[in-house]
């Protein structure tokens, strides 16, 4: 469950009883460990994780890019707090074997840190 608050810095706080991932630059919460799908992804700056859902991120315009697994329509995502580009959201996969990625998020390890009970 996501707790919304206006008196804090971030738009959303994840429950402190769960392991979470946060922005390494400003510590804004990004994702709950339960939303992690895969650790086997490659970002533009190294290893990356695939998440089902994320919080405190903004989304840029979608554009077509040829990635390691083929042509995808992706939109860069950034931290809403510090505006650092974190990775991307898969908007559309053109190959049927890649459809499972649609609507999912990539966050590069270079931009996140583990929080709460690791």
């Amino acid at each position: 469950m996501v707790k919304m608050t206006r008196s804090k810095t971030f738009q959303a706080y994840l429950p402190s009883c769960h392991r979470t991932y946060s922005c390494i630059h400003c510590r804004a919460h990004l994702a709950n460990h339960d939303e992690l799908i895969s650790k086997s992804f490659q970002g533009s700056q190294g290893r990356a994780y695939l998440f089902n859902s994320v919080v405190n991120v903004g989304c840029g315009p979608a554009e077509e890019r040829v990635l390691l697994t083929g042509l995808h329509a992706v939109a860069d995502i950034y931290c809403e707090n510090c505006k650092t580009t974190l990775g991307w959201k898969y908007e559309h996969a053109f190959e049927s074997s890649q459809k499972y990625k649609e609507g999912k998020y990539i966050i590069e390890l270079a931009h996140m840190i583990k929080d709460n009970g690791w």
Side-chain angles (χ1 to χ4, degrees):
M1 172 162 263
V2 175
K3 178 182 170 188
M4 302 301 283
T5 178
R6 290 189 187 272
S7 63
K8 304 283 184 167
T9 305
F10 313 130
Q11 292 181 350
Y13 279 82
L14 296 170
S16 60
C17 61
H18 291 101
R19 294 181 296 173
T20 58
Y21 297 93
S22 299
C23 176
I24 199 167
H25 309 286
C26 71
R27 300 300 286 264
H29 289 175
L30 297 175
N32 187 319
H33 182 68
D34 295 339
E35 296 297 319
L36 178 65
I37 297 169
S38 175
K39 295 180 178 181
S40 303
F41 279 75
Q42 190 69 25
S44 59
Q45 297 181 10
R47 291 183 49 213
Y49 289 178
L50 180 69
F51 290 94
N52 194 44
S53 66
V54 295
V55 297
N56 296 320
V57 300
C59 204
E63 62 184 32
E64 292 182 4
R65 292 186 196 155
V66 178
L67 303 175
L68 293 174
T69 55
L71 182 63
H72 297 274
V74 298
D76 285 338
I77 60 171
Y78 57 90
C79 176
E80 280 282 5
N81 189 55
C82 69
K83 308 304 182 202
T84 300
T85 300
L86 303 169
W88 61 85
K89 178 182 180 184
Y90 287 101
E91 298 288 353
H92 180 71
F94 292 93
E95 296 180 27
S96 59
S97 66
Q98 302 300 309
K99 292 286 186 186
Y100 75 96
K101 296 177 184 174
E102 291 181 348
K104 308 294 190 291
Y105 300 84
I106 287 288
I107 299 179
E108 297 179 340
L109 288 180
H111 300 297
M112 66 180 172
I113 190 169
K114 296 175 181 178
D115 270 332
N116 296 337
W118 287 91

